Amino acid sequence: MSEPRAHDRLKANSLGVAGIVFLVLAAVAPLTGIVVVASLAIALGNGGGTPASFLIVAVVLLLFAVGYAQMSKQLVNAGGFYAFVVKGLGRTGGLVAGLIATIGYNFFVVGTIGTSGFFMQTVIADLTGLNVYWYVWGLLSIVVSFLMARRGVDFSSKILGVSLVLETLILVVFDISVLVQKGFDVAAFSPQAVFSGSLPIGLLLAATGFLGFEATALFSEEAKRPLKTIPRATYVAICAIGLILAVTTWAVVSATGVPQAQAVAVKHLPTGDLIFTLSQQYLGTVMTDIMMILLLVSLFAAMLAFHNSATRYLYALGRARVLPRALARTRPNGAPQLAGIVQAVFAAVVAGLFALAGLDPISSLVPSMIGFGTLCVLVLQALAALSIVVYFRRRRDPRWWSTFVAPGIGFLALLVIVVMAIVNFDIVAGSDALAIRLLPLLLVVALVGGIGFGWYLRRSKPAVYDALATDLERFDAHATTEAEAQEPVA
């Protein structure tokens, strides 16, 4: 495959470990994770034992990350997990993963328009009396996200870094307030609490709180010293997410009382105000208002982060000629040009169709788009874990722990989570409507479509089919190794 032209390249050496971690943690949106995911996990999962669920999932993902780190040292590509699967399971497997990733991340951005728009309408109306229709706020958010992304990924990382610091600070203040006023109850980690309610559902919902950590690989071509930066950023991201979610959830169940945590969370489930109610009690009205404003910032940060991720999947598939080659065009600053426009327009149009139909965003748009996007990312993580094991076994790599045992355990655990997500998709999506429960069938469509498209390319466009693998090999690892000795990571 020919070398990309100057305006087909992402901007190299733009991100250090901190920049990538900001991009990843912003997608995870810790404050949103506590307000939404933790509340659901306490109510529907294992109640007072939910902090342990977050720690268990963190351990599983760290095992996966051991193999992920080894694969990251073999491969630097903007295709993220799509590229991993091509390496491990072949071109056709990569096509399937690429379709799942592209659908999932683009659906996710559509869903963030719904969540951002809904909460902006609600919170701003409550605080100021200005009541603007949710789609107007959502459309404004995606337009601003698009404009910020065009400034370059380094600019995005700085904006997201500020957002991350602010939302994490409010959670730390809440945690300290609960610790000082009531103390943390160690009973949350007792077997009685951990195995109360439904531990499987608790683990499933806890896993959704980590969605976004896998985006580290997507920014590898824009990273400084990527062979070291990406593995480090992955470990830091998983540990940071696990720590923030586990500690704050521990504060929440301690505030409600560990034995009563599930009952209290269920009571607040219809209104979704468990965290804000506790904040009112432990932080007061002013700080709770600040928390509500920071929730809006957190939702916008997640939209910007997922927009960047979805854009890079479109860019990578365009560069590999799976999608139109024009999607690989970049601006002089290295930001994807047409891919960013296509992604933003797609998200705005799909969300707009829901708005035109007069559908409520929280009961229709968000469950369908974010629910299915969540499932896609979980499947993508499992495929990547399997690909890592297969790739290193084919090479007869002698490092059994880092290339077989750890990622193998991670794959099996992720496979269990994927099965639970499909079986309990109504819980993942937050809706039991028939149309939403049937959405996992789109994975079958992606599977059949990927296999069929791979067969077509192999027969009719062999050069494009071959390029699915050769595109991954353009990175000059030797040149990077020499540069690593001269350039700092951060």
Side-chain angles (χ1 to χ4, degrees):
M1 183 175 179
S2 61
E3 195 74 9
R5 298 180 300 276
H7 292 313
D8 288 359
R9 286 185 179 277
L10 299 171
K11 185 180 179 182
N13 299 316
S14 300
L15 299 169
V17 172
I20 294 173
V21 169
F22 287 156
L23 284 164
V24 169
L25 292 188
V28 173
L31 181 55
T32 303
I34 290 298
V35 172
V36 179
V37 176
S39 298
L40 284 173
I42 295 169
L44 305 178
N46 53 330
T50 301
S53 294
F54 284 111
L55 292 179
I56 292 171
V57 172
V59 170
V60 167
L61 294 179
L62 284 171
L63 288 173
F64 162 70
V66 172
Y68 178 95
Q70 297 305 320
M71 185 67 107
S72 296
K73 295 175 183 177
Q74 303 289 323
L75 174 67
V76 175
N77 186 274
F81 281 5
Y82 144 74
F84 277 39
V85 178
V86 170
K87 268 288 201 191
L89 302 183
R91 299 172 181 87
T92 299
L95 277 174
V96 173
L99 289 175
I100 291 174
T102 302
I103 294 170
Y105 276 97
N106 278 279
F107 274 32
F108 232 114
V109 179
V110 176
T112 62
I113 291 179
T115 52
S116 183
F118 173 81
F119 282 104
M120 286 184 76
Q121 178 182 0
T122 303
V123 172
I124 292 175
D126 286 346
L127 296 179
T128 68
L130 177 64
N131 192 357
V132 178
Y133 188 50
W134 70 268
Y135 182 68
V136 176
W137 287 123
L139 183 62
L140 179 63
S141 296
I142 190 62
V143 169
V144 174
S145 292
F146 167 70
L147 293 175
M148 285 187 173
R150 280 170 62 88
R151 293 284 302 275
V153 72
D154 49 344
F155 177 78
S156 291
S157 70
K158 292 171 184 175
I159 297 297
L160 295 176
V162 173
S163 167
L164 178 65
V165 169
L166 291 175
E167 61 181 297
T168 302
L169 270 177
I170 194 70
L171 292 177
V172 170
V173 171
F174 173 76
D175 294 346
I176 293 174
S177 181
V178 173
L179 178 64
V180 171
Q181 295 185 49
K182 191 166 186 177
F184 283 10
D185 191 347
V186 294
F189 297 98
S190 67
Q192 183 179 359
V194 173
F195 292 97
S196 65
S198 174
L199 177 59
I201 297 299
L203 293 173
L204 170 61
L205 290 170
T208 67
F210 288 79
L211 293 181
F213 89 88
E214 73 287 340
T216 52
L218 285 173
F219 301 102
S220 57
E221 291 184 30
E222 297 157 277
K224 302 173 183 177
R225 303 171 59 190
L227 301 184
K228 292 183 178 180
T229 300
I230 299 304
R232 290 175 183 174
T234 303
Y235 285 125
V236 171
I238 293 173
C239 291
I241 297 165
L243 186 65
I244 293 170
L245 295 181
V247 171
T248 303
T249 304
W250 189 13
V252 170
V253 299
S254 297
T256 61
V258 171
Q260 300 82 29
Q262 191 158 39
V264 173
V266 169
K267 180 181 177 182
H268 288 273
L269 203 55
T271 53
D273 63 347
L274 172 63
I275 306 303
F276 293 127
T277 299
L278 292 174
S279 175
Q280 186 73 41
Q281 177 183 347
Y282 284 91
L283 298 180
T285 301
V286 174
M287 291 298 289
T288 300
D289 288 345
I290 292 174
M291 180 181 284
M292 293 173 71
I293 293 170
L294 288 177
L295 175 64
L296 303 184
V297 175
S298 174
L299 289 167
F300 172 76
M303 177 187 289
L304 175 57
F306 277 111
H307 170 70
N308 272 305
S309 296
T311 295
R312 274 150 187 78
Y313 270 112
L314 291 172
Y315 165 85
L317 292 177
R319 189 175 66 185
R321 300 180 188 272
V322 173
L323 295 178
R325 173 71 180 180
L327 290 172
R329 191 177 304 143
T330 58
R331 290 168 54 79
N333 65 359
Q337 173 76 294
L338 186 59
I341 295 173
V342 168
Q343 201 294 306
V345 170
F346 169 81
V349 169
V350 174
L353 293 175
F354 279 82
L356 285 174
L359 297 173
D360 178 70
I362 295 300
S363 63
S364 59
L365 172 62
V366 173
S368 57
M369 297 293 107
I370 290 187
F372 184 67
T374 296
L375 179 58
C376 285
V377 175
L378 290 172
V379 170
L380 199 60
Q381 290 174 358
L383 284 174
L386 176 61
S387 300
I388 292 166
V389 173
V390 172
Y391 172 76
F392 284 108
R393 286 310 92 217
R394 283 177 175 169
R395 293 169 63 92
R396 292 184 171 85
D397 193 290
R399 298 167 297 175
W400 279 86
W401 167 252
S402 61
T403 64
F404 180 67
V405 177
I409 294 173
F411 164 67
L412 293 175
L414 286 167
L415 182 62
V416 170
I417 291 172
V418 167
V419 172
M420 287 195 300
I422 294 173
V423 173
N424 300 282
F425 188 68
D426 57 328
I427 294 176
V428 174
S431 172
D432 60 358
L434 178 61
I436 291 176
R437 286 190 284 115
L438 292 177
L439 278 174
L441 292 177
L442 287 177
L443 291 174
V444 179
V445 175
L447 174 63
V448 174
I451 293 174
F453 193 42
W455 177 85
Y456 164 76
L457 290 178
R458 187 167 59 249
R459 285 178 60 90
S460 304
K461 297 183 177 181
V464 175
Y465 185 73
D466 290 341
L468 291 174
T470 58
D471 176 68
L472 308 184
E473 307 300 336
R474 292 184 304 94
F475 179 72
D476 187 349
H478 178 69
T480 297
T481 302
E482 292 180 348
E484 284 178 355
Q486 304 175 11
E487 188 167 10
V489 172

